[in-house]
Amino acid sequence: MPLDTARVTDDLNVLLGNAPVDARTNPMNDAYGPMVDSAPTLGAALRAAREFQGLDLEDLAQSTRIRKNYLSALEDMRMEDLPSRPFTLGYVRSYAKALGLDPEAAVARFRMDAPEEDQALRAPVGVRRERDPRLSLFVGAGVIVVIGVVAWNVAQHQILDDGSSKVPATQIAQTVKAPPPPSAAPTGPIRVDASLPAPPESTTPTPYVTPGLEATSAASGAPASASPADAVAATATPFVAKGAVYGAPPGSATVILQATKAASLVVHGGDGAVYFAKELAPGEAYRAPMLKGITIDVSEPAAFNYFVGGQLKGQLTGLDTPLSKLVGG
């Protein structure tokens, strides 16, 4: 049985440019697929080329980086759903190029199917070029006030000028009093009074005694005459969890940081590694691991109380605080 070489010959002729024109431009040629002029509109030709290649709009949207709704509007030639004309022409080029069609031929076909209309620029919709009547009222009132102030100043100057012109110059000179002569400096001996007695010594105020301090000192075994620092140590506040506690497990941390209000806390090591980073709510706490080089970074020092050994030591004083400083303090 002889081989059918007609198809191979046709393909070879097409590649060499020797094929008939209708063999290369036939819109429904199964070897080349639809062309840009193979349908009533460019959009229909693009849809036919896409379906011929077995692609859907989702595939074309990913390859061209064009929204799927724009590709659908382009195939349906829904101009009202497309962006401005320069963007639409760019979409036509990209769409045709992705389907293996001639981009410039596609643009030319698009210009034929959807010619650009030369329309004068229209006024923005919804803008009313009307003046606010209150503006004229305010301007008129301002003008009246300015005229009144100017007229009043002119009248005052006129009255002063008229009054001063009626007073004789001699009378004006008599009304001016000469300043009194300076008192002569004393020439005789100056008498010095006896020295005043020294002011009485100020009495030391009675020291303030905190109500209930003696009872608390007695209950804790501290003497009643202990210093204020001893009293504070005797009544030190222990750590009480008022929210979630993060960080090291209980019993393995010496320093505990507790937020009194919402603030951020970042704990990092000497090598820059971040061990903990979170915005703590009021009452939440963090147990710091006993590692070398640990640094505590906070957004607001006054928002954190720190506890050492379970006892309150005070508030943080800096944005960046080494953990060793808190343990030593």
Side-chain angles (χ1 to χ4, degrees), residues 36 39-47 69-82 85 88-89 92 95 106-115:
V36 295
T41 62
L42 173 65
L46 293 177
R47 180 187 291 110
N69 58 335
Y70 287 161
L71 297 178
S72 177
L74 188 59
E75 289 185 353
D76 297 336
M77 297 299 288
R78 289 182 279 108
M79 307 305 298
E80 66 278 3
D81 295 336
L82 292 171
R85 193 171 183 87
T88 302
L89 294 178
V92 170
Y95 197 178
V107 171
R109 177 64 189 276
F110 178 80
R111 293 181 188 274
M112 294 177 56
D113 294 341

Short mmCIF file of all heavy atoms in Angstrom, two decimals, residues 36 39-47 69-82 85 88-89 92 95 106-115:
data_model
loop_
_atom_site.label_atom_id
_atom_site.label_comp_id
_atom_site.label_asym_id
_atom_site.label_seq_id
_atom_site.Cartn_x
_atom_site.Cartn_y
_atom_site.Cartn_z
N VAL A 36 -6.84 35.97 13.56
CA VAL A 36 -7.52 37.14 14.11
C VAL A 36 -8.68 37.60 13.24
O VAL A 36 -9.57 38.31 13.72
CB VAL A 36 -6.51 38.29 14.32
CG1 VAL A 36 -5.49 37.93 15.36
CG2 VAL A 36 -5.82 38.64 13.00
N ALA A 39 -13.27 35.42 12.49
CA ALA A 39 -14.57 35.48 13.15
C ALA A 39 -15.14 36.88 12.93
O ALA A 39 -14.43 37.80 12.51
CB ALA A 39 -14.44 35.17 14.64
N PRO A 40 -16.43 37.06 13.23
CA PRO A 40 -17.03 38.37 13.02
C PRO A 40 -16.35 39.48 13.82
O PRO A 40 -16.30 40.63 13.38
CB PRO A 40 -18.49 38.18 13.46
CG PRO A 40 -18.72 36.71 13.31
CD PRO A 40 -17.43 36.04 13.62
N THR A 41 -15.83 39.16 15.01
CA THR A 41 -15.15 40.16 15.84
C THR A 41 -13.83 39.58 16.33
O THR A 41 -13.60 38.36 16.30
CB THR A 41 -16.01 40.55 17.05
OG1 THR A 41 -16.22 39.40 17.87
CG2 THR A 41 -17.34 41.13 16.62
N LEU A 42 -12.97 40.47 16.79
CA LEU A 42 -11.70 40.01 17.34
C LEU A 42 -11.91 39.15 18.57
O LEU A 42 -11.22 38.15 18.78
CB LEU A 42 -10.81 41.22 17.69
CG LEU A 42 -9.51 40.88 18.43
CD1 LEU A 42 -8.58 40.08 17.54
CD2 LEU A 42 -8.83 42.14 18.93
N GLY A 43 -12.89 39.53 19.40
CA GLY A 43 -13.14 38.74 20.61
C GLY A 43 -13.54 37.32 20.28
O GLY A 43 -13.08 36.37 20.91
N ALA A 44 -14.40 37.16 19.26
CA ALA A 44 -14.79 35.81 18.87
C ALA A 44 -13.60 35.03 18.32
O ALA A 44 -13.45 33.82 18.56
CB ALA A 44 -15.91 35.88 17.83
N ALA A 45 -12.70 35.72 17.58
CA ALA A 45 -11.51 35.04 17.06
C ALA A 45 -10.60 34.61 18.20
O ALA A 45 -10.02 33.51 18.18
CB ALA A 45 -10.78 35.97 16.10
N LEU A 46 -10.43 35.44 19.21
CA LEU A 46 -9.59 35.06 20.35
C LEU A 46 -10.20 33.89 21.11
O LEU A 46 -9.48 32.97 21.54
CB LEU A 46 -9.43 36.27 21.28
CG LEU A 46 -8.64 37.45 20.72
CD1 LEU A 46 -8.63 38.60 21.71
CD2 LEU A 46 -7.21 37.04 20.37
N ARG A 47 -11.52 33.89 21.27
CA ARG A 47 -12.16 32.76 21.96
C ARG A 47 -11.97 31.48 21.16
O ARG A 47 -11.68 30.42 21.71
CB ARG A 47 -13.64 33.05 22.18
CG ARG A 47 -14.34 31.88 22.89
CD ARG A 47 -15.84 32.07 22.98
NE ARG A 47 -16.19 33.15 23.87
CZ ARG A 47 -16.70 34.31 23.47
NH1 ARG A 47 -16.90 34.53 22.17
NH2 ARG A 47 -17.01 35.23 24.33
N ASN A 69 -11.88 38.60 34.35
CA ASN A 69 -13.07 39.33 33.89
C ASN A 69 -12.74 40.25 32.72
O ASN A 69 -13.58 40.48 31.85
CB ASN A 69 -13.67 40.12 35.04
CG ASN A 69 -12.68 41.10 35.65
OD1 ASN A 69 -11.48 40.88 35.56
ND2 ASN A 69 -13.15 42.16 36.25
N TYR A 70 -11.49 40.76 32.64
CA TYR A 70 -11.10 41.56 31.49
C TYR A 70 -10.98 40.69 30.23
O TYR A 70 -11.37 41.11 29.13
CB TYR A 70 -9.78 42.27 31.76
CG TYR A 70 -9.88 43.41 32.73
CD1 TYR A 70 -8.75 43.90 33.37
CD2 TYR A 70 -11.11 44.01 33.01
CE1 TYR A 70 -8.84 44.96 34.28
CE2 TYR A 70 -11.20 45.06 33.90
CZ TYR A 70 -10.06 45.54 34.54
OH TYR A 70 -10.16 46.57 35.40
N LEU A 71 -10.43 39.48 30.37
CA LEU A 71 -10.34 38.58 29.22
C LEU A 71 -11.72 38.19 28.72
O LEU A 71 -11.97 38.14 27.50
CB LEU A 71 -9.54 37.33 29.61
CG LEU A 71 -8.07 37.56 30.02
CD1 LEU A 71 -7.43 36.25 30.42
CD2 LEU A 71 -7.29 38.22 28.90
N SER A 72 -12.64 37.95 29.66
CA SER A 72 -14.00 37.60 29.25
C SER A 72 -14.67 38.77 28.55
O SER A 72 -15.35 38.60 27.53
CB SER A 72 -14.81 37.17 30.47
OG SER A 72 -16.15 36.90 30.12
N ALA A 73 -14.48 40.00 29.09
CA ALA A 73 -15.07 41.18 28.45
C ALA A 73 -14.45 41.42 27.07
O ALA A 73 -15.14 41.85 26.15
CB ALA A 73 -14.87 42.40 29.35
N LEU A 74 -13.17 41.10 26.91
CA LEU A 74 -12.52 41.28 25.61
C LEU A 74 -13.08 40.29 24.59
O LEU A 74 -13.29 40.63 23.42
CB LEU A 74 -11.01 41.10 25.76
CG LEU A 74 -10.16 41.45 24.55
CD1 LEU A 74 -10.37 42.89 24.14
CD2 LEU A 74 -8.68 41.20 24.86
N GLU A 75 -13.33 39.04 24.99
CA GLU A 75 -13.89 38.07 24.07
C GLU A 75 -15.32 38.43 23.67
O GLU A 75 -15.74 38.19 22.55
CB GLU A 75 -13.86 36.68 24.71
CG GLU A 75 -12.46 36.10 24.83
CD GLU A 75 -12.48 34.67 25.35
OE1 GLU A 75 -13.57 34.19 25.75
OE2 GLU A 75 -11.42 34.04 25.36
N ASP A 76 -16.08 39.02 24.61
CA ASP A 76 -17.46 39.42 24.31
C ASP A 76 -17.54 40.83 23.74
O ASP A 76 -18.64 41.31 23.46
CB ASP A 76 -18.31 39.33 25.58
CG ASP A 76 -18.39 37.89 26.09
OD1 ASP A 76 -18.22 36.97 25.27
OD2 ASP A 76 -18.62 37.72 27.30
N MET A 77 -16.38 41.51 23.64
CA MET A 77 -16.33 42.90 23.14
C MET A 77 -17.25 43.80 23.96
O MET A 77 -17.95 44.66 23.44
CB MET A 77 -16.69 42.94 21.65
CG MET A 77 -15.73 42.18 20.76
SD MET A 77 -14.03 42.83 20.82
CE MET A 77 -14.24 44.36 19.95
N ARG A 78 -17.23 43.60 25.26
CA ARG A 78 -17.98 44.48 26.17
C ARG A 78 -17.06 45.63 26.58
O ARG A 78 -16.34 45.56 27.57
CB ARG A 78 -18.46 43.70 27.39
CG ARG A 78 -19.58 42.72 27.06
CD ARG A 78 -20.09 41.99 28.29
NE ARG A 78 -19.25 40.85 28.66
CZ ARG A 78 -18.44 40.81 29.70
NH1 ARG A 78 -18.35 41.86 30.50
NH2 ARG A 78 -17.71 39.73 29.97
N MET A 79 -17.10 46.69 25.80
CA MET A 79 -16.17 47.80 26.00
C MET A 79 -16.39 48.52 27.31
O MET A 79 -15.46 49.08 27.88
CB MET A 79 -16.30 48.79 24.82
CG MET A 79 -16.17 48.14 23.44
SD MET A 79 -14.63 47.21 23.27
CE MET A 79 -13.43 48.51 23.48
N GLU A 80 -17.64 48.50 27.78
CA GLU A 80 -17.91 49.23 29.03
C GLU A 80 -17.27 48.55 30.24
O GLU A 80 -17.10 49.19 31.29
CB GLU A 80 -19.43 49.36 29.25
CG GLU A 80 -20.16 48.04 29.50
CD GLU A 80 -20.49 47.31 28.20
OE1 GLU A 80 -20.09 47.80 27.13
OE2 GLU A 80 -21.16 46.25 28.27
N ASP A 81 -16.93 47.25 30.12
CA ASP A 81 -16.32 46.54 31.24
C ASP A 81 -14.80 46.51 31.15
O ASP A 81 -14.14 45.91 32.00
CB ASP A 81 -16.84 45.10 31.29
CG ASP A 81 -18.32 45.04 31.60
OD1 ASP A 81 -18.83 46.01 32.19
OD2 ASP A 81 -18.97 44.05 31.23
N LEU A 82 -14.23 47.13 30.13
CA LEU A 82 -12.78 47.16 29.95
C LEU A 82 -12.21 48.47 30.48
O LEU A 82 -12.92 49.48 30.56
CB LEU A 82 -12.43 47.00 28.46
CG LEU A 82 -12.73 45.63 27.85
CD1 LEU A 82 -12.54 45.67 26.34
CD2 LEU A 82 -11.86 44.55 28.47
N ARG A 85 -8.57 52.85 27.06
CA ARG A 85 -8.17 52.29 25.77
C ARG A 85 -6.69 51.89 25.73
O ARG A 85 -6.36 50.83 25.20
CB ARG A 85 -8.50 53.27 24.65
CG ARG A 85 -8.42 52.64 23.26
CD ARG A 85 -8.95 53.56 22.21
NE ARG A 85 -8.95 52.95 20.89
CZ ARG A 85 -9.92 52.20 20.39
NH1 ARG A 85 -10.98 51.95 21.15
NH2 ARG A 85 -9.85 51.70 19.18
N THR A 88 -6.43 48.61 27.35
CA THR A 88 -7.11 47.57 26.57
C THR A 88 -6.27 47.13 25.38
O THR A 88 -6.18 45.94 25.06
CB THR A 88 -8.47 48.10 26.09
OG1 THR A 88 -9.24 48.49 27.23
CG2 THR A 88 -9.22 47.02 25.34
N LEU A 89 -5.61 48.08 24.69
CA LEU A 89 -4.74 47.71 23.57
C LEU A 89 -3.59 46.83 24.05
O LEU A 89 -3.18 45.88 23.36
CB LEU A 89 -4.22 48.97 22.89
CG LEU A 89 -5.27 49.84 22.18
CD1 LEU A 89 -4.62 51.08 21.60
CD2 LEU A 89 -5.99 49.05 21.11
N VAL A 92 -4.91 43.38 24.49
CA VAL A 92 -5.09 42.70 23.21
C VAL A 92 -3.77 42.12 22.73
O VAL A 92 -3.69 40.97 22.26
CB VAL A 92 -5.69 43.68 22.17
CG1 VAL A 92 -5.67 43.06 20.78
CG2 VAL A 92 -7.12 44.03 22.56
N TYR A 95 -2.84 39.10 24.99
CA TYR A 95 -3.72 37.96 24.76
C TYR A 95 -3.36 37.28 23.43
O TYR A 95 -3.25 36.04 23.35
CB TYR A 95 -5.17 38.45 24.76
CG TYR A 95 -6.19 37.36 24.94
CD1 TYR A 95 -7.55 37.64 25.00
CD2 TYR A 95 -5.82 36.01 25.06
CE1 TYR A 95 -8.50 36.65 25.17
CE2 TYR A 95 -6.76 35.03 25.24
CZ TYR A 95 -8.09 35.34 25.28
OH TYR A 95 -9.02 34.35 25.45
N ALA A 106 -3.78 41.72 15.65
CA ALA A 106 -4.90 41.71 16.59
C ALA A 106 -5.29 43.13 16.99
O ALA A 106 -6.47 43.46 17.09
CB ALA A 106 -4.53 40.88 17.83
N VAL A 107 -4.29 44.00 17.20
CA VAL A 107 -4.58 45.39 17.55
C VAL A 107 -5.29 46.09 16.40
O VAL A 107 -6.25 46.85 16.60
CB VAL A 107 -3.29 46.12 17.96
CG1 VAL A 107 -3.53 47.62 18.10
CG2 VAL A 107 -2.74 45.55 19.26
N ALA A 108 -4.82 45.84 15.17
CA ALA A 108 -5.46 46.46 14.01
C ALA A 108 -6.91 46.00 13.88
O ALA A 108 -7.81 46.80 13.57
CB ALA A 108 -4.67 46.13 12.75
N ARG A 109 -7.15 44.70 14.11
CA ARG A 109 -8.53 44.20 14.03
C ARG A 109 -9.38 44.81 15.14
O ARG A 109 -10.56 45.14 14.93
CB ARG A 109 -8.52 42.67 14.14
CG ARG A 109 -9.92 42.05 14.15
CD ARG A 109 -10.64 42.30 12.83
NE ARG A 109 -12.03 41.91 12.89
CZ ARG A 109 -12.48 40.66 12.70
NH1 ARG A 109 -11.61 39.68 12.45
NH2 ARG A 109 -13.77 40.41 12.73
N PHE A 110 -8.80 44.98 16.34
CA PHE A 110 -9.55 45.59 17.44
C PHE A 110 -9.92 47.03 17.11
O PHE A 110 -11.02 47.48 17.41
CB PHE A 110 -8.72 45.53 18.73
CG PHE A 110 -9.40 46.17 19.90
CD1 PHE A 110 -10.38 45.50 20.61
CD2 PHE A 110 -9.06 47.45 20.30
CE1 PHE A 110 -11.02 46.10 21.69
CE2 PHE A 110 -9.69 48.05 21.37
CZ PHE A 110 -10.67 47.37 22.06
N ARG A 111 -8.99 47.78 16.49
CA ARG A 111 -9.30 49.16 16.13
C ARG A 111 -10.43 49.22 15.09
O ARG A 111 -11.23 50.17 15.08
CB ARG A 111 -8.05 49.84 15.56
CG ARG A 111 -6.94 50.03 16.57
CD ARG A 111 -5.76 50.74 15.93
NE ARG A 111 -4.61 50.79 16.80
CZ ARG A 111 -4.40 51.73 17.73
NH1 ARG A 111 -5.30 52.70 17.88
NH2 ARG A 111 -3.32 51.70 18.49
N MET A 112 -10.51 48.21 14.22
CA MET A 112 -11.60 48.17 13.24
C MET A 112 -12.92 47.82 13.92
O MET A 112 -13.96 48.41 13.60
CB MET A 112 -11.29 47.15 12.14
CG MET A 112 -10.09 47.51 11.26
SD MET A 112 -9.72 46.21 10.04
CE MET A 112 -11.31 46.08 9.21
N ASP A 113 -12.89 46.85 14.84
CA ASP A 113 -14.12 46.43 15.50
C ASP A 113 -14.62 47.47 16.50
O ASP A 113 -15.83 47.62 16.69
CB ASP A 113 -13.91 45.09 16.22
CG ASP A 113 -13.63 43.96 15.24
OD1 ASP A 113 -13.95 44.14 14.03
OD2 ASP A 113 -13.09 42.93 15.67
N ALA A 114 -13.71 48.16 17.16
CA ALA A 114 -14.08 49.14 18.19
C ALA A 114 -13.32 50.43 17.92
O ALA A 114 -12.32 50.71 18.58
CB ALA A 114 -13.79 48.62 19.59
N PRO A 115 -13.74 51.20 16.90
CA PRO A 115 -13.01 52.44 16.59
C PRO A 115 -13.11 53.42 17.74
O PRO A 115 -14.10 53.47 18.47
CB PRO A 115 -13.71 52.95 15.32
CG PRO A 115 -15.08 52.33 15.37
CD PRO A 115 -14.91 50.99 16.02
#
